[in-house]
Amino acid sequence: IREKILKHVMVRRTRSDVMTYFKDDTLNQGLVFPEMQDPQKLAYEFDGQVEYVFNHTMELLQEFRYARYIPLLYYVGNKGLTEFEKQQQRNVGGFMKGILIKRLESSFYAFKKSLDRFVYSYQRFIEMFQAGTVYISKKVDVYSLLDNDDIETLEEAVAAERVQKYDAKDFSKSFLTDLKHDLTILQEVRALWQPVEEDPKIDRLIRDLRANPVLAGNKLILFTESKETGDYLFSKLNDAFPGIVLFFSSQGGRYQTAEQEIITSSPAIGRDRIKQNYDPNNRQKTDTLRILITTDVLAEGINLHRANILINYDLPWNPTRV
């Protein structure tokens, strides 16, 4: 009986368990645990035009009503909504409210891309409303989409999933007013950012990758939650450090070949290239890469321990991931 029970038992030892109860064994075998250094902060600052644009953007977004993404909260027709459906709309609105702020925190490039999509989405929705018919999604599980590293696909899914048809006259008059109000704000914010070419965040990163003794010359992993930011980082970092940078996302691996051609490989080929450069257990080891940019799709499943430095370029949605 004892053997049958123990057959299904797994004993899991933490680092502190091993250090406490198996100290002599580890010393005799010359085994050590690497010491984790405290996190360090790479701070960057805005000044001049960028500071003004950033602060004014935050002021404008406080007035944004996100009407495009909570249409059923304006619905006054006879179909009626359950409290659960109302909460779904609030969830979508809350999620889209965070999108712009997260894009701005991630990179100016990703923020401008999202602004363009928001403006286009509002323009199309207002045209549809004024034509008399409204197609709306009521059943979108927004939070199940958070792990998707392509924000464009995510936003399209939020806007297009499981649509139902409504008559425009069954919405309150404030709906169109709020839609136009939001569109005006979006267009004003987009106009603010159009002349901005500076990016203090990427400039600081490149300086530290060259001069910071912890970062310079070492293999490292750079995490971002946005595929668009990853594409932007690859472009900038490959210009600064040609041939030793790879960006990996759900769409594959992007890198510069020995012939100086920038290609995007399949996910399988991208993973193989990463294993060769970052997995200490891989049979074929190479050192052609020093900087690996990736989204969360690479957070699990591959041993990356030939690198001992991790940089979060933007903060994850889920704080436990930090």
Side-chain angles (χ1 to χ4, degrees):
I1 295 175
R2 185 188 312 164
E3 289 178 357
K4 290 182 179 179
I5 294 175
L6 292 178
K7 181 180 178 181
H8 302 285
V9 173
M10 179 182 73
V11 178
R12 183 174 183 176
R13 300 293 188 190
T14 65
R15 179 185 298 208
S16 60
D17 289 336
V18 174
M19 295 295 290
T20 302
Y21 302 110
F22 301 95
K23 186 175 182 179
D24 291 341
D25 288 340
T26 57
L27 289 174
N28 291 336
Q29 297 180 62
L31 302 177
V32 295
F33 286 107
E35 293 296 325
M36 299 287 289
Q37 293 186 3
D38 292 335
Q40 297 182 27
K41 179 171 60 177
L42 303 181
Y44 58 97
E45 297 179 354
F46 301 147
D47 55 20
Q49 180 196 26
V50 176
E51 182 179 21
Y52 166 77
V53 169
F54 183 89
N55 291 337
H56 192 36
T57 296
M58 299 306 294
E59 292 171 0
L60 288 170
L61 290 181
Q62 290 179 18
E63 304 299 322
F64 198 59
R65 296 167 187 168
Y66 301 88
R68 160 70 182 87
Y69 303 103
I70 53 172
L72 291 179
L73 297 183
Y74 294 87
Y75 181 69
V76 293
N78 58 7
K79 292 183 181 180
L81 291 179
T82 66
E83 187 56 39
F84 176 73
E85 289 171 329
K86 290 180 182 178
Q87 187 57 48
Q88 282 186 313
Q89 285 282 285
R90 296 188 190 101
N91 288 346
V92 173
F95 170 71
M96 299 308 286
K97 186 176 183 178
I99 280 287
L100 282 175
I101 302 301
K102 289 297 296 181
R103 295 309 98 193
L104 181 56
E105 189 272 330
S106 181
S107 68
F108 294 168
Y109 176 83
F111 180 65
K112 290 178 180 180
K113 288 288 187 181
S114 280
L115 274 177
D116 289 339
R117 288 193 293 271
F118 269 54
V119 168
Y120 178 74
S121 178
Y122 263 85
Q123 289 172 335
R124 290 290 304 275
F125 195 93
I126 289 173
E127 289 172 3
M128 176 180 65
F129 185 88
Q130 291 177 326
T133 302
V134 178
Y135 294 93
I136 296 175
S137 164
K138 292 204 303 182
K139 300 177 180 179
V140 179
D141 183 3
V142 175
Y143 300 101
S144 70
L145 301 174
L146 285 174
D147 289 333
N148 187 327
D149 60 29
D150 187 340
I151 200 66
E152 182 176 0
T153 301
L154 188 151
E155 290 171 5
E156 289 173 355
V158 170
E161 183 104 358
R162 300 181 191 176
V163 296
Q164 293 192 10
K165 183 177 179 180
Y166 293 85
D167 195 320
K169 64 180 175 52
D170 289 330
F171 291 81
S172 66
K173 293 181 179 179
S174 63
F175 187 30
L176 184 57
T177 301
D178 286 354
L179 286 169
K180 291 181 176 179
H181 165 86
D182 283 353
L183 179 57
T184 299
I185 287 179
L186 288 170
Q187 291 171 328
E188 186 174 348
V189 172
R190 186 168 66 171
L192 275 173
W193 283 94
Q194 191 169 6
V196 174
E197 299 294 338
E198 299 176 56
D199 189 344
K201 188 175 182 179
I202 189 66
D203 291 344
R204 173 64 195 269
L205 176 64
I206 291 174
R207 286 200 305 271
D208 277 272
L209 289 177
R210 285 176 171 152
N212 187 314
V214 176
L215 305 180
N218 290 323
K219 278 177 113 60
L220 57 89
I221 305 165
L222 192 65
F223 270 112
T224 176
E225 289 213 328
S226 166
K227 179 188 176 298
E228 289 172 337
T229 295
D231 284 326
Y232 172 71
L233 285 171
F234 174 80
S235 176
K236 292 292 186 180
L237 294 182
N238 191 64
D239 284 346
F241 309 96
I244 61 171
V245 183
L246 183 145
F247 169 47
F248 186 83
S249 72
S250 58
Q251 297 182 6
R254 189 178 174 203
Y255 53 89
Q256 180 174 298
T257 66
E259 293 75 29
Q260 298 186 347
E261 179 185 4
I262 295 176
I263 66 169
T264 299
S265 71
S266 68
I269 293 176
R271 282 177 175 267
D272 285 343
R273 194 174 183 90
I274 291 169
K275 288 178 182 178
Q276 292 168 7
N277 281 271
Y278 282 84
D279 185 349
N281 299 319
N282 199 70
R283 291 182 179 179
Q284 294 181 327
K285 294 185 178 65
T286 60
D287 265 315
T288 56
L289 300 177
R290 184 169 79 82
I291 302 171
L292 170 60
I293 307 163
T294 180
T295 62
D296 280 345
V297 297
L298 208 61
E300 296 178 359
I302 293 185
N303 187 338
L304 302 171
H305 281 78
R306 285 179 66 191
N308 59 0
I309 299 169
L310 171 65
I311 299 175
N312 280 312
Y313 193 74
D314 44 52
L315 293 179
W317 286 89
N318 186 343
T320 61
R321 290 193 179 186
V322 178

